[in-house]
Amino acid sequence: MAKADYYEVLGVGRDADADTLKRAYRKLAMQHHPDRNPGDAEAEHKFKELNEAYDVLKDEQKRAAYDRFGHAAFEQGGGRGGGGGFGFDFAGSFADIFDDLFGEMTGRRGGAARGADIRFNLEVELEDVFFGKPVTIKVPTTLACEPCKGSGAADGAAPKACPSCRGAGKVRAQQGFFTIERTCPTCHGQGRVIDKPCRHCAGQGRVRREKSLQVQIPAGVDDGTRIRLAGEGEAGMRGAPPGDLYIFLAVRPHRLFQRDGQHLFCRVPIPMVAAALGGPIEVPTLAGKPAKVQVPGGTQTGKRFRVPREGMPVLRSSEKGDLIVEVMVETPVNLTKRQKELLEEFDKTGGAKNSPESTGFFARVKEFFDELK
């Protein structure tokens, strides 16, 4: 059975350039791929036929031989077994499926590579995370060149397919039984060349600039959160897709509050008299309004009180954590003579009995020393 013409297999004319061949192959290969047609022998045969045709026509030397001799250029005597022919390498072609179908997405071949991703470290206040806030940042990056619209070519001229590799970005050379493939030295693997490069960007299609962006800090995010802005990274060369911008948040320490997940912690000093007699005290909140806490009489240092829903917002939720208040009883200083007299009078009237923890502690100390004797 005679083989079908390779140009007819791909549905292109004999004057088709490398880009036209690639588009035709990709479309048909996706349509007849065995994974999309399980158990379909006809689709599998068509898929192999497409790979064979494209493997020949995308290679400059193989295509020239095919245009001159047809299928005879690859038959026994002129093929791999002949020692100097071209031959069809199905294993190599099958490996090329991934390059040709997905190469542009990964930036490995067939055009300029995707722009680089950018990392930007952003310090914010705890209040910014509590309320949520839009923040304007300035990011050093590369942007598409405006005069050439990112093409890299001057005067509106479009880049052309590389004449050396026909847009493939690679060239092959046959040496005996082996086919050596290397990056095209003319276009450096990009598949396109520019006759007259843009003077503003030296043919790269991008320029170094500082870009201003507004970033919304979501309420409740944690320290170390990463925010991704798709397409806001560096511009790709000569019209290639841009990379992404990754913003890493760092929350500055607060002078009053410490965060523990969704809860806030605050240490509040209170006068000795207030701790002894008890009563309401006002404590700060991150919302900016003081909250009242009822302190019972006889409160000791380290006692904790919980203020519901005065903590951090829970990300993407209407819930809030709590504010944990730890009181610290403050010993008075700079006493007047009268204040000292009052405290001495209080001590003489049995003040020690009103300090059970210290009384109990020193009783245990006495027992300890008695046991050592």
Side-chain angles (χ1 to χ4, degrees):
M1 182 177 177
K3 284 188 175 183
D5 182 84
Y6 285 154
Y7 291 99
E8 293 180 0
V9 170
L10 294 174
V12 298
R14 303 187 75 83
D15 59 346
D17 60 15
D19 289 338
T20 302
L21 285 171
K22 180 181 291 186
R23 286 194 298 269
Y25 167 71
R26 292 173 65 182
K27 179 180 178 181
L28 294 172
M30 292 292 286
Q31 179 181 344
H32 296 284
H33 196 283
D35 289 346
R36 291 191 170 187
N37 304 274
D40 189 337
E42 183 177 350
E44 183 178 356
H45 173 75
K46 181 67 175 177
F47 185 67
K48 292 180 180 180
E49 199 173 43
L50 286 166
N51 286 319
E52 182 176 339
Y54 184 60
D55 181 76
V56 170
L57 297 184
K58 75 177 181 178
D59 185 284
E60 183 179 3
Q61 297 180 10
K62 289 183 181 180
R63 182 174 180 177
Y66 179 75
D67 289 344
R68 185 175 182 183
F69 301 109
H71 293 294
F74 311 104
E75 293 174 356
Q76 187 66 28
R80 200 180 317 180
F86 295 94
F88 171 65
D89 181 4
F90 178 76
S93 178
F94 186 79
D96 285 343
I97 293 171
F98 298 98
D99 279 342
D100 290 314
L101 293 183
F102 308 112
E104 290 186 2
M105 289 187 289
T106 59
R108 287 180 289 132
R109 58 178 297 174
R114 171 181 176 271
D117 294 334
I118 299 176
R119 171 173 178 149
F120 187 87
N121 296 325
L122 176 61
E123 283 193 343
V124 294
E125 304 293 343
L126 188 61
E127 289 88 346
D128 300 334
V129 177
F130 181 82
F131 292 104
K133 179 183 178 181
V135 177
T136 300
I137 61 175
K138 292 185 177 181
V139 183
T141 182
T142 57
L143 303 175
C145 178
E146 293 184 3
C148 68
K149 296 181 172 58
S151 69
D155 302 327
K160 300 177 181 178
C162 175
S164 300
C165 64
R166 294 176 178 256
K170 297 180 181 179
V171 293
R172 293 180 179 180
Q174 192 77 22
Q175 293 185 358
F177 290 99
F178 301 98
T179 299
I180 299 175
E181 185 176 78
R182 59 189 177 90
T183 301
C184 176
T186 303
C187 66
H188 305 289
Q190 295 188 11
R192 297 184 297 173
V193 293
I194 296 175
D195 293 333
K196 188 177 179 182
C198 171
R199 63 184 181 87
H200 296 277
C201 62
Q204 292 193 13
R206 59 183 186 176
V207 292
R208 177 64 61 176
R209 292 286 186 274
E210 188 177 68
K211 178 168 61 174
S212 293
L213 292 170
Q214 190 174 74
V215 182
Q216 179 64 40
I217 306 300
V221 294
D222 289 323
D223 183 75
T225 294
R226 185 184 71 172
I227 299 175
R228 174 176 173 263
L229 298 182
E232 295 293 353
E234 291 193 353
M237 291 184 61
R238 300 180 186 174
D244 299 332
L245 172 63
Y246 291 91
I247 300 173
F248 288 79
L249 296 182
V251 182
R252 296 188 185 98
H254 197 274
R255 60 184 179 276
L256 294 179
F257 302 98
Q258 292 84 44
R259 182 180 182 180
D260 183 10
Q262 68 188 42
H263 302 306
L264 289 174
F265 174 85
C266 180
R267 180 176 284 112
V268 178
I270 60 174
M272 181 186 69
V273 175
L277 301 179
I281 62 170
E282 287 190 344
V283 297
T285 68
L286 203 52
K289 297 180 179 180
K292 285 189 177 181
V293 173
Q294 186 66 33
V295 176
T299 294
Q300 304 296 319
T301 291
K303 176 68 175 178
R304 292 188 173 188
F305 302 90
R306 183 179 296 268
V307 184
R309 293 186 58 81
E310 288 294 347
M312 295 297 296
V314 179
L315 187 64
R316 292 186 292 273
S317 170
S318 59
E319 296 296 318
K320 279 189 174 183
D322 299 334
L323 171 63
I324 310 300
V325 176
E326 181 179 298
V327 298
M328 179 181 65
V329 180
E330 186 177 15
T331 302
V333 296
N334 300 323
L335 298 176
T336 65
K337 182 180 178 181
R338 177 56 181 160
Q339 289 171 332
K340 291 180 180 180
E341 291 174 351
L342 291 172
L343 287 177
E344 289 171 354
E345 184 178 346
F346 168 76
D347 185 54
K348 290 178 181 178
T349 57
K353 297 178 181 178
N354 299 104
S355 303
E357 288 193 18
S358 60
T359 301
F361 173 78
F362 286 110
R364 292 191 296 273
V365 170
K366 184 177 182 303
E367 291 176 0
F368 173 72
F369 285 127
D370 289 341
E371 291 173 358
L372 292 178
K373 293 178 181 179

